[in-house]
């Protein structure tokens, strides 16, 4: 296992310590819970708190999106494993300034269960928490069962836009509404070229044979739509772009935010080779790219692959997306 | 070869097209040369032009550092191969606003030769060009032959700080002086855990056996200081940090910019595991981290590994580093 790791069972603790040391201008440990990281200035007076959380291995998600006009506190789970309810609850406490907390997370069974338990714990402490679940991964369920789909880069987009809404003085209900709009307007698809290795396991938890690719693979290696012969970058980009655009169904001239994220071990060069064709296909549909983010935004340990996410903008989403924000994983000037 | 690629012989063209499409708010094709990319607003009136260039495969270096208060034009070479003199010359022309051009590049034989030829071509056109060569890689030659060392992340630091100096109205000589100071104050070391695959070759151009690591490996697989048994992250971080700090020899309480860059396929999580210990060792030396950059800053295709770069700051370097700048690869707010 060619990895930078100490005891693999403590890789998450080591990573959290590294994050807080590297970005102490923005983030801090929670004194309540070693698996909670918070915005240095949280709770922010008179602001709705933004909380998220999930399993580790997706860096910079989740803790890398804490910051100014972004998430206020994050529950950090073990690798590919939901944080416990207590961690979500402690994150709520860290983020709550008396205006309530919006918990914006990805749709996975463990996270759903633990967030719901944490919301009940928060009720007992008179902290109002509402939540929105990202369901942007079109490969994970058919459109008629959209609510069963998993969340990928819909998360960072919810934190960016929900965070901006909260910073502009939005109420809890207003933040929840705009986060729901982000989910409604966002679609993602992944392609995997190689599997990933969970450090404590030491070998891949699924396989992708050389010369093949898995279209629609999940962020933890969940089975995708199909395994096929490895195609050219142009062909892959075409297939990804058609898939998300057709599922989203937005009118010509719609402006988009496009995220093309590596899955962990994908060279930056190759992401730009893909983006060249993603842009061409979007243009053929008459869609306009307002902002493109190409790099590592939501990863899967050392998986080789790429995830394409598109969000269609209206005036409100555009204004909130463009609001300056500062986090280790995303800076908007 | 599990890569997102079309014809491997045209991967650089495809990548350039992707970059320009993704970041058209900041960068543009040169109309003079398909392998030159420029700042959208270059040449910037009354400003010294900042030019760099080098082989591809190191993204976001070099073209990802074009932008506001950063590089004005970049000559883009084939994978791991210097751009021709003509490309450097065309980049000079794109960047020159009549105040001269600072060419700030990394110390590799091909780049040296081509930049010198391009400078002579520029003389014939009455464009004044001076240059500084980054020599931050301590593994590539002993300290007594420091001028023979290769350049790594010293490049982005020269573009950041030289770019800021130029934007503040610095003369060509002043920009050159501050870029030299960056080189004097910067040291880097790489560790490789796996080799990289040049797309047009299709197999690794060197080898690192599983269970081993190459301490001091170069950014193109140049032989390092030693091959040793793969150590823990803490041990690797210690060895890297001691190596750069001892070579730099800066007094206690010096403030630093620290870059911990993945080499292309290194998961973000593991970089933070390393950073945790890098920070600890720097603290033991009494050194203060002013800014930490952890992520992909200078890569080597799909090499698995990490590069640690430290730059010691004085008041001038700190002020220039902190000047807001905007490029695809680095945003300073």
């Amino acid at each position: 296992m060619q990895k930078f790791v100490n005891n693999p069972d403590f890789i998450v603790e080591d990573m959290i310590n590294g994050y807080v040391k590297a970005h102490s201008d923005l983030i801090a440990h929670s004194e309540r819970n070693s698996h909670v990281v918070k915005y240095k200035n949280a709770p922010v007076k008179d602001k709705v708190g933004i909380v998220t959380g999930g399993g580790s291995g997706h860096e910079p998600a989740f803790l890398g999106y804490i910051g100014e006009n972004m998430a206020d506190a994050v529950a950090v789970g073990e690798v590919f494993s939901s944080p416990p309810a207590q961690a979500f609850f402690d994150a709520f406490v860290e983020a709550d300034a008396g205006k309530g907390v919006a918990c914006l997370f990805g749709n996975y069974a463990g996270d759903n269960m633990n967030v719901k338990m944490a919301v009940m714990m928060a009720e007992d402490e008179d902290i109002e928490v509402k939540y929105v679940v990202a369901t942007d991964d079109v490969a994970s369920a058919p459109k008629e069962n959209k609510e069963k789909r998993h969340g990928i880069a819909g998360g960072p987009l919810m934190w960016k836009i929900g965070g901006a809404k909260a910073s502009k003085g939005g109420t809890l209900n207003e933040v929840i509404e705009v986060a729901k709009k982000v989910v409604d307007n966002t679609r993602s698809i992944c392609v995997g070229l190689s599997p990933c290795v969970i450090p404590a396991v030491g070998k891949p938890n699924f396989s992708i044979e050389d010369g093949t690719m898995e279209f629609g693979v999940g962020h933890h290696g969940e089975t995708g739509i199909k395994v096929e012969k490895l195609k050219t970058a142009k062909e892959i980009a075409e297939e990804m772009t058609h898939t998300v655009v057709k599922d989203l169904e937005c009118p010509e001239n719609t402006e988009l935010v496009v995220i093309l994220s590596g899955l962990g071990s994908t060279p930056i060069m190759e992401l730009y080779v893909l983006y060249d064709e993603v842009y061409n296909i979007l243009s053929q549909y008459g869609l306009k790219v307002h902002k493109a983010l190409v790099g590592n935004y939501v990863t899967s340990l050392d998986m080789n692959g790429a995830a394409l996410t598109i969000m269609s903008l209206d005036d409100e989403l555009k204004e909130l997306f463009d609001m300056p924000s500062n986090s280790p994983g995303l800076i908007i000037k």
Side-chain angles (χ1 to χ4, degrees), chain A:
Chain A
M1 187 172 67
Q2 296 297 92
K3 285 187 178 296
F4 294 112
V5 61
N6 299 305
N7 182 337
D9 290 335
F10 293 98
I11 192 169
V12 172
E13 286 79 354
D14 290 346
M15 172 195 72
I16 291 173
N17 289 334
Y19 252 100
V20 173
K21 285 170 183 165
H23 305 294
S24 57
D25 53 329
L26 284 172
I27 68 178
H29 290 290
S30 163
E31 289 181 13
R32 301 179 59 89
N33 191 315
S34 65
H35 278 54
V36 172
V37 180
K38 65 174 188 171
Y39 178 41
K40 195 183 157 185
N41 301 325
V44 179
K45 192 161 178 282
D46 289 337
K47 190 183 80 71
V48 168
I50 305 291
V51 165
T52 188
S56 292
H58 304 299
E59 293 68 32
F62 298 80
L63 75 169
Y65 292 103
I66 301 170
E68 192 186 349
N69 303 333
M70 293 286 290
D72 292 294
V74 165
V76 184
E78 293 302 319
V79 172
F80 287 3
S81 176
S82 174
Q86 183 68 42
F88 279 110
F89 170 75
D90 286 325
F92 298 160
V93 174
E94 294 289 6
D96 182 47
K99 298 286 176 181
V101 171
C103 183
L104 312 175
F105 65 104
N107 188 32
Y108 296 93
D111 296 317
N112 265 306
M113 184 185 72
N114 287 310
V115 166
K116 283 172 188 165
M117 284 172 60
V119 170
M120 288 191 287
M121 292 160 74
E123 275 171 14
D124 292 344
E125 304 290 328
D126 289 328
I127 299 173
E128 188 181 16
V129 181
K130 296 189 174 186
Y131 60 84
V132 179
V133 180
T135 55
D136 48 298
D137 181 3
V138 305
S140 51
K143 196 167 181 177
E144 54 271 26
N145 293 320
K146 191 177 165 301
E147 72 289 351
K148 293 192 178 167
R149 288 176 174 174
H150 295 151
I152 321 177
L157 292 170
M158 284 201 297
W159 312 325
K160 172 71 193 81
I161 284 170
K165 188 74 184 179
S167 292
K168 281 178 180 283
T171 63
L172 179 55
N173 283 337
E174 288 168 343
V175 171
I176 291 294
E177 282 313 305
V178 82
K180 281 182 184 163
K181 197 201 278 183
V182 170
V183 175
D184 287 344
N185 287 23
T186 301
R187 299 293 186 280
S188 298
I189 187 81
C190 293
V191 169
L193 303 193
S194 84
C196 55
V197 172
I198 295 173
V201 175
K203 57 182 184 185
N205 59 337
F206 64 105
S207 68
I208 298 172
E209 297 302 321
D210 275 8
T212 71
M213 54 183 255
E214 184 157 349
F215 189 81
V217 66
H219 258 55
H220 312 87
E222 293 91 338
T223 304
I225 295 171
K226 56 185 170 184
V227 175
E228 49 191 331
K229 189 164 164 289
L230 180 59
K231 297 179 177 176
T232 66
K234 271 189 199 297
E235 291 166 334
I236 297 169
E238 275 178 27
E239 196 170 6
M240 294 175 87
T241 312
H242 286 310
T243 301
V244 290
V245 169
K246 284 179 178 160
D247 200 279
L248 184 57
E249 296 183 277
C250 54
E252 212 170 318
N253 291 315
T254 300
E255 288 187 288
L256 307 176
V257 172
V258 178
I259 303 178
L260 187 62
S261 179
L263 295 187
S265 70
T266 318
I268 305 291
M269 170 181 244
E270 295 175 36
L271 294 175
Y272 281 99
V273 170
L274 282 175
Y275 186 78
D276 180 33
E277 190 67 10
V278 167
Y279 179 93
N280 292 343
I281 307 288
L282 291 173
S283 299
Q284 286 169 19
Y285 279 103
L287 301 170
K288 313 283 182 201
V289 180
H290 172 64
K291 178 79 178 175
L293 300 169
V294 181
N296 288 304
Y297 290 96
V298 178
T299 63
S300 296
L301 296 168
D302 55 357
M303 202 188 301
N304 182 7
L308 174 64
T309 298
I310 62 173
M311 172 174 65
S312 63
L313 295 172
D314 60 12
D315 290 344
E316 181 189 29
L317 293 180
K318 187 174 173 181
E319 184 194 343
L320 293 170
F321 182 84
D322 286 344
M323 183 182 182
S325 63
N326 192 9
S327 66
L330 179 66
I331 298 172
I332 299 292
K333 272 184 77 109

